[in-house]
Amino acid sequence: MSVKFDARMREWREQIDANLKKTIELSAYPADFREVLDYAVFPGGKRLRPILFLEWHSLFAPPGQAALDFACGLELMHCFSLIHDDMPCIDNDDMRRGKPTVHKKYGEGKALLAGDALLDMAYNCMMNACFAAGNGNPFYFYRLCGENGIIHGEYLDVYGKCRSIEDLISMYKKKTGAIIECACAVGYLFAQKFDVKSILPVTWLENGKPLIEYIEGMTDDERTNVKLIGGALRFGESFGIAFQLYDDLSEYVAGEKSDGTTVMDYIDLDEAKKLLNHYLNGAISVLDSGYNGNTEYLRELTEKFVIV
């Protein structure tokens, strides 16, 4: 990775962490409960989801405070999912990011409530950010985190029976991919005064997939913008699946035991590498679709997950 790329990622993480810290500190929760929330959110991991949001936003315009708030909402939603995922009734994990999981440190009751609180804070961050930006369009996308996304995906992971690699990829699209799709598409859309709902059918909004064909009454600019937003969704979907496959492969190569089903239960290492690189290449190909901004950092970020 280039020095320029590393510096940019570090700058994003510093801004994200400062904003997350302020969000928790300004909440009305008691000090002892804010301590639990702080423990769950810091120190952070890659901050991948908010960084993707900010990078896609940068293709259209420099992110302001409202965009940073929305990006942090995505990270809070991710942190909520980690707390609940680690609990004894789900994966029963003892460690997360090199330290005891929230329920191990503070007990199951506080961990459950902390997850609930972070999810609520996430939606508040996103809602307030949309109002501040004068743009309600992103609300049509973050439904990807519910029945069409992360919560549904977690249910399938724990209680669904994956019978094939196709089932596994479908689950990954929801559990990992949906919130990443949201980060990319909303990041690109956030700064634009573009009324998506007026020109797209409700079925597209509900399914979270773009309708690229000509829609009667759409101007050339609107049609182009729909294609670019659709590209952001396709990038997010491919990147999200690749990210989970990378996690599976890294765990396997390191000799770590998996908590659940992984791609290695269906195909061998060479096939898994090819599948990972297929999705990474799919994400990178989107960046050649006519975006006017600098896609250099998105390319480098994607290439970080290549396994030779």
Side-chain angles (χ1 to χ4, degrees):
M1 296 297 108
S2 68
V3 173
K4 193 174 167 186
F5 172 83
D6 289 340
R8 186 172 175 93
M9 295 303 107
R10 184 168 56 252
E11 182 180 350
W12 282 142
R13 284 192 293 269
E14 288 172 356
Q15 290 184 44
I16 291 161
D17 282 353
N19 210 53
L20 287 169
K21 185 73 74 173
K22 181 181 71 174
T23 300
I24 293 171
E25 288 175 353
L26 293 178
S27 72
Y29 290 117
D32 61 333
F33 190 51
R34 292 200 303 273
E35 177 187 317
V36 182
L37 300 179
D38 191 86
Y39 182 87
V41 175
F42 297 97
K46 301 176 184 68
R47 303 301 195 207
L48 181 67
R49 291 147 190 85
I51 285 175
L52 282 169
F53 176 93
L54 295 167
E55 282 295 342
W56 275 94
H57 190 296
S58 296
L59 296 185
F60 187 83
Q65 183 60 47
L68 183 59
D69 289 341
F70 195 99
C72 287
L74 292 170
E75 183 66 12
L76 290 169
M77 182 170 284
H78 175 57
C79 292
F80 130 76
S81 73
L82 298 182
I83 295 176
H84 284 193
D85 189 54
D86 288 338
M87 291 187 68
C89 56
I90 306 293
D91 282 348
N92 195 25
D93 284 324
D94 293 340
M95 301 294 290
R96 166 73 67 179
R97 294 170 177 167
K99 65 180 185 179
T101 50
V102 179
H103 71 273
K104 281 291 180 182
K105 174 77 172 177
Y106 294 100
E108 291 181 37
K110 286 185 178 179
L112 179 65
L113 290 172
D116 293 342
L118 291 179
L119 179 60
D120 179 68
M121 290 171 73
Y123 279 114
N124 276 328
C125 282
M126 290 188 284
M127 178 179 67
N128 291 333
C130 287
F131 288 146
N135 189 336
N137 286 323
F139 285 118
Y140 301 120
F141 288 92
Y142 76 69
R143 71 177 66 187
L144 287 167
C145 302
E147 62 186 286
N148 294 314
I150 188 170
I151 296 171
H152 189 176
E154 182 67 27
Y155 182 86
L156 292 176
D157 190 22
V158 178
Y159 298 107
K161 290 188 171 27
C162 285
R163 296 178 175 84
S164 66
I165 190 155
E166 289 77 19
D167 288 345
L168 186 75
I169 295 299
S170 180
M171 184 265 286
Y172 283 174
K173 283 181 181 180
K174 291 180 171 65
K175 181 179 177 181
T176 305
I179 196 168
I180 289 176
E181 277 188 53
C182 174
C184 299
V186 180
Y188 185 69
L189 178 65
F190 191 81
Q192 305 179 50
K193 308 303 180 187
F194 180 65
D195 188 1
V196 173
K197 193 173 183 181
S198 70
I199 62 170
L200 295 177
V202 174
T203 52
W204 176 71
L205 298 171
E206 289 177 350
N207 295 331
K209 301 299 174 191
L211 180 67
I212 300 301
E213 301 90 37
Y214 173 77
I215 299 174
E216 187 175 358
M218 188 187 295
T219 67
D220 288 344
D221 285 345
E222 287 172 334
R223 197 178 316 122
T224 297
N225 214 4
V226 168
K227 289 182 180 180
L228 293 176
I229 294 165
L233 278 167
R234 290 195 303 278
F235 176 95
E237 181 180 275
S238 295
F239 188 102
I241 295 169
F243 180 71
Q244 187 60 61
L245 291 172
Y246 178 86
D247 195 52
D248 288 354
L249 282 166
S250 298
E251 195 174 64
Y252 178 82
V253 170
E256 298 174 7
K257 186 178 180 302
S258 172
D259 291 324
T261 306
T262 78
V263 69
M264 303 311 301
D265 294 322
Y266 300 97
I267 54 180
D268 64 28
L269 182 59
D270 286 340
E271 291 174 312
K273 287 180 180 179
K274 288 178 184 176
L275 188 63
L276 165 65
N277 291 329
H278 164 75
Y279 283 107
L280 290 174
N281 288 333
I284 289 172
S285 69
V286 168
L287 301 177
D288 298 321
S289 302
Y291 293 97
N292 293 325
N294 183 1
T295 61
E296 169 192 353
Y297 299 110
L298 283 168
R299 290 173 192 274
E300 284 204 56
L301 184 58
T302 306
E303 290 166 358
K304 273 178 64 74
F305 297 98
V306 172
I307 294 181
V308 179

